[in-house]
Amino acid sequence: MTRSAGEVIRVTDTDGDRATWTFAADPNAVRAARRAVRQQLRRWELDGIADLAELLVSELVTNALRHATGPVGVCLTRPAGRTGVLLVEVSDPVPEPPHERVARPDDEGGRGLQLLARSSRRWGHRTGPHGKTVWCELVVPR
C-alpha cells in the first residue's frame, strides 16, 4: 500500500479523551494535521476552540517540519479532572528546544511561538529519548 504525501501514518484512540496522530515529515502534513484536529474537536463538541487549536497546530507542525526529517506527532487531550482545558502537543525527533524570538516587521517567520504564548493559557516543551514535545493548554469555553 502506498501513502500519499501528508497522509496520516497512524491514528490512535480517537474515541476517548485523547486523540493522537503521526504524520510523515512532508509539507502536506500541516494540512492533514489541521483537518484531523478540526474533525476531532467537532466530535468532542469543542468547535468553539477549533480555529485557535487548528492555527496553533499548524504553526507547531510547520516548525517541526522546518527542523526535523522524521515523523511529527500531534496529540489532543482533555485532561481528567481539569474541565475547561484542552492540551495540545506536537512532537518531533529533534531534541533541541524551540527558541522564541522577536520577529522584525519584514521577517517571513519567527512569530509562531509568540502566537502560541499569547493565545494559550500556558505552554512549554519537554525533551525525551526520541526528541521533543511542544505543548500548550487552551481554555475551553463553557
Side-chain angles (χ1 to χ4, degrees):
M1 175 174 137
T2 60
R3 296 185 187 279
S4 63
E7 183 179 349
V8 175
I9 297 173
R10 180 183 68 220
V11 178
T12 309
D13 183 18
T14 57
D15 294 326
D17 292 323
R18 181 183 202 106
T20 61
W21 304 269
T22 303
F23 301 94
D26 179 278
N28 290 319
V30 177
R31 182 180 321 122
R34 284 194 310 258
R35 185 178 327 116
V37 165
R38 182 164 295 280
Q39 289 172 350
Q40 185 61 44
L41 292 177
R42 187 173 296 128
R43 282 194 280 287
W44 285 345
E45 298 179 358
L46 295 177
D47 294 313
I49 61 168
D51 288 341
L52 178 57
E54 186 178 351
L55 174 63
L56 296 178
V57 164
S58 180
E59 288 291 329
L60 292 174
V61 170
T62 298
N63 284 350
L65 292 174
R66 282 192 179 142
H67 304 286
T69 57
V72 176
V74 175
C75 180
L76 302 178
T77 306
R78 296 189 300 180
R82 295 184 63 202
T83 58
V85 173
L86 177 72
L87 178 62
V88 177
E89 299 173 292
V90 175
S91 303
D92 67 58
V94 177
E96 287 80 30
H99 298 286
E100 189 174 1
R101 66 182 182 93
V102 177
R104 294 183 307 249
D106 294 337
D107 288 348
E108 290 291 321
R111 293 173 182 82
L113 292 177
Q114 289 177 2
L115 178 64
L116 182 71
R118 290 188 176 119
S119 303
S120 60
R121 184 162 92 176
R122 62 188 190 127
W123 76 279
H125 71 277
R126 65 182 179 276
T127 57
H130 303 291
K132 73 173 166 303
T133 299
V134 179
W135 59 268
C136 67
E137 289 182 353
L138 301 182
V139 175
V140 175
R142 297 189 188 262

